[in-house]
Amino acid sequence: YNDVKIMQELLTSRYGFQIEDLQIPTDEPGSALLPTSANIKKNFNQMIERAKGGDILLLLFSGHGTF
C-alpha cells in the first residue's frame, strides 16, 4: 500500500489536490472503500459527473493482485 500512500501525499502536498476530492479504494484492512468492480465504476461515474471545465481527472490503477 506504500505506492497508494506515496501518490496520495504527492497529489496533496505537491500538486494541491484536496484530500476530500480523492477516492482511494484499497483492500487494506479497515478500508472504507473496497476496490470492487461496482465501487470503481460508481466512483468513476461520479468523478465524471462532478467534473467542471478546468478540472483535472486522474485515474491511477495500481494492481498487485494474485492468481
Side-chain angles (χ1 to χ4, degrees), residues 1 4 7 12 16 19-20 22 25 29-30 34-35 43 47-48 52 55 57 60 66:
Y1 306 104
V4 174
M7 183 56 72
T12 56
I19 191 72
E20 59 270 9
L22 302 178
L34 295 173
N43 284 297
M47 188 170 61
I48 292 169
K52 298 178 185 119
D55 283 354
L57 302 180
L60 177 67
T66 60

Side-chain angles (χ1 to χ4, degrees), residues 1-12 24 28:
Y1 306 104
N2 286 336
D3 56 340
V4 174
K5 292 175 184 177
I6 290 169
M7 183 56 72
Q8 179 180 338
E9 178 64 25
L10 178 70
L11 291 172
T12 56
I24 304 172
E28 187 174 21

Side-chain angles (χ1 to χ4, degrees), residues 51-65:
K52 298 178 185 119
D55 283 354
I56 297 171
L57 302 180
L58 172 66
L59 176 63
L60 177 67
F61 177 80
S62 182
H64 305 283

